[in-house]
Amino acid sequence: MEFTDRPRRLRTDGIRPLVSETTLDATDLVAPVFVDATTDERVPIESMPGHERVPVAEAADRVAEVREAGVEAVIVFGIPESKDPEGTRAYARDGVVQEAVRAITAETDAYVITDVCLCEYTDHGHCGVLEDHAEDDPTLTVENGPTLDLLAKTAVSHAEAGADMVAPSASMDGMVGAIRAALDDAGRDEVPIMSYAAKYESAFYGPFRDAADGAPAFGDRRHYQMDPANAREALREVALDVEQGADVLMVKPGLPYLDIVRAIREGYDHPVAAYNVSGEYAMLHAAAEKGWLDLDEVARESLLSMKRAGADLIITYFAERVARQLD
């Protein structure tokens, strides 16, 4: 039988890398860093093997470790020394992220992104100012308008501390526009915004909420994060963020939402980010510990799939591990 079309001809060792359609590089990766104002020593995160909360005094050292692996960018999350209903430590000049960013930018050459949200800083664990009766009879749980003001203050405080980029994750309507206006008014018009544009209410966030101490004290986040069933809504959210001045568009989580990554890539010229979230990281580790999967192989394949779907950059807890493989 004659075969005129033989794809296997291009799978031999010599030609295979030359015709590879997608590449993964350490410069595509962003490493999350957790800075904890309540500790003087590194604290392992049990649900995320290999990761720790680090004290403010060691934030720059932790980022230097990331840079040594070949990863150029980090995203900083903070655990404050105290919490209150409005998350005031989120925008304090001497807050945990602000102090960490000053040290990181002074002592390393990393590109520093900061997460802009309130859930780690509020005593109720929600991402903004609570509406009346939120615990007993919520309508939308979080008040949108007052929360925008606090998010804008937080973003400006991060920029003034030296953040290269801010990344609002609170899922509030109009947050990108409010932050863009506040940054511009503060003379920080050069600071770009990476919006968590399509952020789903996902079961894959569990380990992160332990890591950042940001789990809600009651209820859930269905009133402000997206329904996992919805795809068209994601494009609407992205369109709104683009109109408001978002510079980078993020999809979170990554692996379960590759269709959304692809749709945004095809619909917009903006850089697209995918967040390879804590649950994705933890489940691969758990399977590898059982001997069911090769951790290095599945980690790399997972990130490659996000690049193939259209992501330009990937926030991932595998950043250092995979970067060393790619070196």
Side-chain angles (χ1 to χ4, degrees):
M1 185 175 182
E2 290 294 326
F3 294 96
T4 57
D5 191 353
R6 291 177 175 264
R8 289 184 59 195
R9 292 182 183 124
L10 300 181
R11 295 175 190 162
T12 60
D13 290 341
I15 191 65
R16 186 182 178 101
L18 293 177
V19 297
S20 181
E21 298 174 18
T22 306
T23 58
L24 183 66
D25 191 86
T27 57
D28 300 327
L29 309 178
V30 180
V33 173
F34 296 96
V35 185
D36 189 343
T38 70
T39 183
D40 294 324
E41 59 185 13
R42 298 192 181 199
V43 179
I45 301 169
E46 291 186 9
S47 57
M48 295 171 61
H51 284 273
E52 304 168 313
R53 296 183 183 184
V54 300
V56 175
E58 292 192 37
D61 290 341
R62 175 71 191 100
V63 173
E65 294 166 8
V66 172
R67 289 290 294 113
E68 288 173 3
V71 178
E72 297 182 357
V74 297
I75 182 166
V76 180
F77 298 90
I79 297 92
E81 66 275 25
S82 63
K83 302 187 180 193
D84 58 54
E86 295 194 352
T88 57
R89 296 303 298 170
Y91 46 87
R93 189 181 186 282
D94 61 347
V96 58
V97 167
Q98 291 82 352
E99 292 293 337
V101 168
R102 290 188 187 95
I104 292 166
T105 55
E107 299 177 36
T108 79
D109 61 352
Y111 188 85
V112 180
I113 306 166
T114 57
D115 180 76
V116 177
C117 196
L118 301 174
C119 59
E120 297 102 320
Y121 303 88
T122 56
D123 54 11
H124 46 75
H126 281 284
C127 298
V129 179
L130 292 180
E131 65 178 0
D132 292 339
H133 311 296
E135 186 169 356
D136 302 321
D137 186 25
T139 301
L140 291 174
T141 308
V142 171
E143 293 279 7
N144 206 90
T147 298
L148 292 184
D149 294 338
L150 302 185
L151 293 173
K153 289 174 66 174
T154 300
V156 170
S157 73
H158 289 181
E160 290 178 342
D164 296 299
M165 176 185 285
V166 295
S169 62
S171 297
M172 294 295 113
D173 293 339
M175 66 180 182
V176 171
I179 289 170
R180 183 73 273 157
L183 288 171
D184 292 353
D185 288 346
R188 302 289 175 174
D189 57 301
E190 80 286 356
V191 175
I193 297 172
M194 176 167 63
S195 175
Y196 288 62
K199 182 178 180 181
Y200 287 85
E201 188 211 3
S202 173
F204 284 93
Y205 300 152
F208 173 88
R209 290 172 180 171
D210 290 336
D213 193 21
F218 63 87
D220 53 38
R221 292 173 177 155
R222 71 186 185 280
H223 290 152
Y224 44 103
Q225 294 178 358
M226 286 179 52
D227 183 345
N230 293 357
R232 295 190 302 272
E233 183 186 6
L235 298 182
R236 181 184 178 197
E237 287 277 14
V238 168
L240 290 169
D241 283 1
V242 168
E243 290 174 8
Q244 294 169 37
D247 299 284
V248 181
L249 306 170
M250 187 201 295
V251 178
K252 183 181 181 183
L255 278 178
Y257 298 92
L258 294 181
D259 59 322
I260 308 302
V261 174
R262 169 53 61 184
I264 295 171
R265 171 72 291 139
E266 292 178 348
Y268 296 89
D269 291 332
H270 289 57
V272 177
Y275 201 137
N276 179 221
V277 300
S278 59
E280 298 168 49
Y281 177 85
M283 69 181 184
L284 295 186
H285 262 278
E289 288 171 8
K290 289 283 190 179
W292 296 340
L293 294 173
D294 181 306
L295 185 59
D296 287 331
E297 292 295 330
V298 293
R300 184 170 177 175
E301 185 177 338
S302 295
L303 302 188
L304 192 65
S305 74
M306 296 177 201
K307 281 293 299 290
R308 189 183 65 247
D312 298 289
L313 59 146
I314 304 168
I315 301 172
T316 177
Y317 303 99
F318 286 117
E320 291 165 273
R321 186 183 190 106
V322 170
R324 290 190 178 98
Q325 295 177 45
L326 298 171
D327 189 11

